[in-house]
Amino acid sequence: MLRTWIADSVHKVGEQITLQGWVHTRRNMGKLIFIDLRDQTGVCQVVFLPNHVEALTKAAELGNEFVVEIVGQVNTRPAKQVKADVITGTIEIEAFQLNIISPAATPPFEIEDEFKEEVNEELRLQYRYLDLRRTRLHRNLIVRSEFVRHCRDFLYGNNFVEIETPLLTKSTPEGSRDFIVPSRHYPGSFYALPQSPQQYKQLLVGAGFERYFQLARALRDEDLRADRGYEHTQIDLEMAFVQQADVMATVEQMMIQTVEAMGYTVKQKPFPRFTYAEAMAQFGADKFDLRTPEEKQSKVLAYAWVTDFPFFETTDDASTGSGWTFTHNPFSMPKAEHVDWLLQGKNIEQIITQQYDLVCNGYESGGGSIRAHQPEILRATYQVMGYSAAEIEASIGHMLEAFRFGFPPHGGIALGVERNIMNLTGESYLREVQAFPMTSQGRTAVMSAPAPITAAQLHELNITIQQ
Ligand code: ASP
């Protein structure tokens, strides 16, 4: 390819290069014109001088966000014009030729790093492809890509196998409402989009993939908040023949290796540990921020583990039958000394689960558990929650069946990618670290959904809409 990336142009002083990108800004100085040109790798200054009159004349037509090709020479800048904070701050491009590839209409808002005035969220999301041109958002997605790359590298280096699980699946109890997809072949029956790959990953471990991972999409129909959307991505993993300490050690190593490679500082290694009771007594919550005010200004990540959660809590939801529901994950294993209580259905409020949450800078950055791999333990969990034998069979009968065929002890975790990227970038809204997030009203970016479907589609699906 002919073009040089802008970030590489600093290494080409004295050479003639071809750049392609967007006009970030333009300054017309009368006899000369400066533009800042932007590509995926950065921004650099281009100068049009009267000695290349054709290019200079054309440059007068340029507006912000025009897509152009520039052939020019890389020159060093005089010492007093050097900009230390920009990667290309030591050079500028003297343009010989300008080719306007694609003109740009005036954008509905300025493409600048920080908005000078508040821009309406709906407008930003309607034109998300323009919003994403802003350096800050652009950088957030690059940080996200780097984070995932480092985690993947770690997992591949530690015998994990990356496996995808279905998106069209059966409702699985993860504590949220499901998104439902109607079936054309089975009128009146529905798929559910996965709230997590929880059961599939356990089944994969049973299938002999002793270390599984996936960048999994999780879909949950719950009320939207700054740090919660309908869709998010998890680094989802599961390991056979492990105890709680093994999963925690693996995740801790992955996080340290990843964030240190990205230039962040981990406040405390190994990560401090708190029981749920200690966290509640000390912080009044199970997620907390261990950074000092000074550390909040720098790239410090204060991780901590929280363990020893109560397995069950009471609920008003009449559908559970017994008044008890799980706090985190119904597939978890109680602490060894509490297994008998679970099997006998006694001291329910005192049963502690082998659940561990990873906390970082005030957010829950991940959560997982050692699972019940004996059918009688999982069955007992559902009995505590008031399920009848028939309801247990309908809900998790396939897991109980699978456990009969030589199932290894196992456990895992899911780390929320967005929450982790919010910590790495300092963003307080989930939408700033997703490419195409929903509006706070639950409408999609750029393409407006949910939207009605045609009468023919409804007919095919055997669905009638009540007016
Ligand atoms: N499935 C759990 C969740 O999505 C995570 C886990 O226990 O691995 O929260």
Side-chain angles (χ1 to χ4, degrees):
M1 215 181 342
L2 254 186
R3 62 98 63 109
T4 299
W5 289 110
I6 283 176
D8 292 338
S9 58
V10 266
H11 309 299
K12 309 235 176 221
V13 172
E15 291 178 40
Q16 180 171 315
I17 61 169
T18 301
L19 297 175
Q20 291 169 330
W22 286 260
V23 175
H24 195 56
T25 55
R26 189 176 70 105
R27 295 179 300 287
N28 196 338
M29 314 289 279
K31 285 213 180 69
L32 30 139
I33 293 175
F34 287 99
I35 66 166
D36 280 347
L37 187 71
R38 186 184 73 235
D39 73 9
Q40 185 184 304
T41 64
V43 173
C44 73
Q45 177 164 291
V46 179
V47 59
F48 294 87
L49 301 169
N51 56 349
H52 296 289
V53 77
E54 202 184 316
L56 177 64
T57 316
K58 245 198 229 171
E61 296 168 28
L62 292 177
N64 285 356
E65 301 307 312
F66 274 45
V67 172
V68 295
E69 178 179 75
I70 287 161
V71 178
Q73 178 170 306
V74 184
N75 294 333
T76 38
R77 288 198 207 184
K80 52 180 200 308
Q81 286 174 24
V82 165
K83 280 195 180 160
D85 56 336
V86 181
I87 45 162
T88 57
T90 54
I91 55 143
E92 75 179 0
I93 315 297
E94 179 184 343
F96 300 160
Q97 276 174 42
L98 166 65
N99 175 16
I100 298 179
I101 298 174
S102 183
T106 307
F109 46 81
E110 298 275 330
I111 314 292
E112 59 194 354
D113 205 7
E114 295 302 331
F115 290 127
K116 291 197 190 77
E117 40 195 77
E118 192 60 34
V119 178
N120 172 294
E121 183 207 356
E122 309 263 321
L123 193 66
R124 281 183 60 194
L125 291 180
Q126 184 186 345
Y127 292 95
R128 185 61 166 177
Y129 45 91
L130 298 180
D131 199 23
L132 287 173
R133 289 184 189 175
R134 295 162 57 218
T135 321
R136 196 180 99 212
L137 292 206
H138 203 81
R139 186 209 52 184
N140 289 352
L141 293 193
I142 288 174
V143 169
R144 179 175 175 142
S145 163
E146 285 284 285
F147 175 79
V148 165
R149 177 168 67 85
H150 284 290
C151 291
R152 264 207 171 97
D153 284 351
F154 174 88
L155 293 167
Y156 278 123
N158 284 277
N159 281 345
F160 282 84
V161 182
E162 184 168 5
I163 305 179
E164 289 170 87
T165 52
L167 279 181
L168 291 175
T169 177
K170 191 179 171 183
S171 175
T172 165
E174 209 80 30
S176 255
R177 213 173 283 115
D178 289 317
F179 279 104
I180 295 296
V181 181
S183 153
R184 179 167 59 88
H185 282 301
Y186 300 95
S189 286
F190 299 84
Y191 302 98
L193 301 179
Q195 292 186 33
S196 93
Q198 179 67 39
Q199 298 183 52
Y200 286 116
K201 69 173 171 176
Q202 291 188 241
L203 293 170
L204 282 169
V205 161
F209 297 99
E210 295 179 30
R211 291 184 168 203
Y212 139 97
F213 89 97
Q214 170 179 205
L215 264 289
R217 305 296 286 274
L219 297 115
R220 300 177 185 182
D221 186 359
E222 50 193 1
D223 292 341
L224 298 170
R225 287 195 318 225
D227 65 343
R228 199 159 75 178
Y230 287 152
E231 290 186 48
H232 71 274
T233 305
Q234 304 180 333
I235 298 184
D236 189 52
L237 60 91
E238 197 74 10
M239 303 165 78
F241 303 109
V242 284
Q243 297 184 341
Q244 176 163 320
D246 302 313
V247 183
M248 288 163 72
T250 304
V251 171
E252 192 160 327
Q253 227 186 320
M254 175 174 81
M255 296 311 280
I256 291 172
Q257 204 164 300
T258 296
V259 300
E260 288 188 346
M262 293 174 74
Y264 294 83
T265 305
V266 174
K267 180 172 166 124
Q268 204 178 327
K269 296 186 280 186
F271 300 166
R273 292 172 184 207
F274 300 85
T275 63
Y276 172 74
E278 286 166 352
M280 293 309 284
Q282 205 168 323
F283 310 105
D286 57 2
K287 28 187 181 293
F288 40 83
D289 196 342
L290 294 172
R291 291 171 303 168
T292 60
E294 300 75 56
E295 285 168 339
K296 288 186 185 174
Q297 309 307 317
S298 55
K299 295 172 93 177
V300 172
L301 298 164
Y303 291 100
W305 288 107
V306 184
T307 61
D308 292 39
F309 290 90
F311 200 161
F312 299 100
E313 63 189 1
T314 49
T315 171
D316 299 335
D317 182 355
S319 66
T320 80
S322 70
W324 288 109
T325 187
F326 59 90
T327 61
H328 283 75
N329 191 332
F331 296 98
S332 300
M333 178 82 104
K335 286 190 106 173
E337 57 271 37
H338 296 168
V339 168
D340 281 345
W341 288 349
L342 179 69
L343 292 174
Q344 292 158 21
K346 67 177 199 202
N347 301 337
I348 307 297
E349 69 290 348
Q350 290 175 49
I351 299 177
I352 302 291
T353 169
Q354 294 191 48
Q355 165 85 26
Y356 30 87
D357 278 7
L358 183 63
V359 171
C360 181
N361 295 5
Y363 287 107
E364 182 195 318
S365 100
S369 63
I370 296 300
R371 325 297 183 187
H373 67 282
Q374 299 96 330
E376 61 280 10
I377 299 183
L378 183 58
R379 189 177 289 113
T381 302
Y382 276 74
Q383 277 163 352
V384 165
M385 296 192 296
Y387 281 60
S388 67
E391 286 165 341
I392 292 176
E393 187 51 36
S395 179
I396 47 147
H398 52 279
M399 296 301 286
L400 300 174
E401 177 73 355
F403 289 167
R404 293 175 51 230
F405 295 97
F407 221 92
H410 60 286
I413 195 166
L415 300 155
V417 170
E418 285 81 1
R419 300 245 175 110
N420 278 281
I421 305 305
M422 286 166 73
N423 278 337
L424 298 182
T425 56
E427 296 286 0
S428 20
Y429 290 94
L430 187 111
R431 64 164 181 260
E432 308 294 37
V433 300
Q434 279 179 335
F436 294 101
M438 300 255 178
T439 67
S440 48
Q441 305 305 315
R443 301 198 66 82
T444 57
V446 190
M447 289 173 264
S448 183
I453 55 174
T454 63
Q457 284 172 305
L458 284 172
H459 178 74
E460 202 169 39
L461 292 167
N462 245 288
I463 291 178
T464 27
I465 306 284
Q466 285 184 344
Q467 300 300 335

